[in-house]
């Protein structure tokens, strides 16, 4: 989805479509939530994005970015595309939450953006009614539509953006958005 400057918020995030077709609305909401995650990481350094939320949780903004890169790969490449892909951040880090001291936020965001771009390519030309199977986990083998995958991805980002709000506030007091 592309939007012009007239359809963005002052912070640069695209405003989700208020009218239009179902697919455009779903994709615009997903793009909004993706942009929200990126906004939560804006202007933070590698040390800041490694700060955990609150004990006993080890959740970090860097871990969330990595996790959502893995989620993008899982649903768009593995499920929709039917591709056999390794974990984005290596075997043993299937959730993406594990942090590598050598990988900072810029590297993680670049990988996350590549996963998004590849997912867009795989969805292009497929209808919302396109049916695939969940590749693994507790629901492995169950049929889902591309529509379901997009709705699930919006839900996944919305939930984790709530976590990102709390993390960002803990880091430097920035709230909202």
């Amino acid at each position: 989805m592309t939007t012009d400057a007239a359809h963005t918020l002052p912070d640069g995030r695209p405003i989700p479509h208020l009218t239009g077709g179902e697919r455009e609305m779903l994709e615009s909401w997903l793009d909004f939530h993706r942009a929200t995650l990126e906004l939560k990481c804006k202007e933070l350094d590698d040390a800041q994005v490694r700060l955990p939320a609150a004990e006993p949780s080890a959740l970090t903004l860097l871990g969330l970015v990595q996790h959502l890169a893995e989620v993008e790969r899982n649903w768009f490449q593995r499920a929709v595309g039917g591709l056999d892909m390794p974990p984005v951040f290596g075997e043993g880090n299937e959730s993406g939450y594990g942090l590598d001291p050598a990988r900072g936020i810029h590297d993680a965001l670049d990988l996350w953006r590549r996963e998004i771009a590849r997912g867009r390519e795989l969805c292009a030309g497929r209808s919302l009614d396109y049916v695939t199977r969940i590749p693994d986990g507790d629901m492995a083998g169950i049929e889902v539509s591309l529509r379901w995958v997009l709705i699930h991805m919006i839900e996944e980002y919305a939930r984790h953006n709530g976590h990102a709000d709390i993390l960002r506030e803990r880091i430097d007091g920035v709230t909202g958005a």
Side-chain angles (χ1 to χ4, degrees):
M1 180 197 92
T2 59
T3 58
D4 61 316
H7 295 101
T8 59
L9 295 170
D11 59 25
R13 291 178 298 158
I15 297 172
H17 291 295
L18 304 174
T19 61
E22 180 183 13
R23 185 175 190 129
E24 292 78 18
M25 291 187 92
L26 291 171
E27 289 176 346
S28 74
W29 272 103
L30 183 52
D31 284 343
F32 171 80
H33 281 292
R34 287 169 171 155
T36 299
L37 177 68
E38 192 160 10
L39 179 67
K40 290 298 169 184
C41 299
K42 188 175 183 180
E43 299 176 3
L44 296 177
D45 62 34
D46 286 336
Q48 290 173 308
V49 296
R50 291 173 183 278
L51 291 173
E55 289 192 14
S57 175
L59 185 65
T60 65
L61 275 173
L62 180 56
L64 279 177
V65 170
Q66 292 182 171
H67 172 67
L68 287 161
E70 186 62 48
V71 168
E72 292 274 352
R73 178 171 285 187
N74 188 58
W75 288 106
F76 294 120
Q77 291 192 55
R78 293 184 188 117
V80 174
L83 303 173
D84 183 17
M85 299 293 295
V88 178
F89 299 99
E91 297 297 327
N93 192 11
E94 287 80 2
S95 71
Y97 287 118
L99 304 183
D100 178 341
R103 184 176 34 263
I105 188 64
H106 297 294
D107 293 335
L109 284 168
D110 286 346
L111 287 164
W112 172 72
R113 287 183 199 109
R114 283 197 293 266
E115 292 303 317
I116 291 169
R118 182 65 177 128
R120 285 185 174 129
E121 291 171 8
L122 291 166
C123 291
R126 288 188 164 103
S127 79
L128 291 176
D129 294 323
Y130 172 81
V131 174
T132 188
R133 292 185 184 275
I134 296 175
D136 51 27
D138 294 339
M139 297 180 4
I142 295 175
E143 287 187 338
V144 293
S145 66
L146 177 56
R147 177 182 292 103
W148 185 94
V149 170
L150 290 170
I151 292 169
H152 174 67
M153 290 296 290
I154 293 166
E155 177 273 330
E156 182 88 12
Y157 272 93
R159 181 167 29 97
H160 288 311
N161 280 337
H163 300 138
D165 285 339
I166 294 166
L167 285 159
R168 182 64 191 249
E169 184 176 9
R170 177 169 162 68
I171 292 166
D172 65 1
V174 171
T175 61

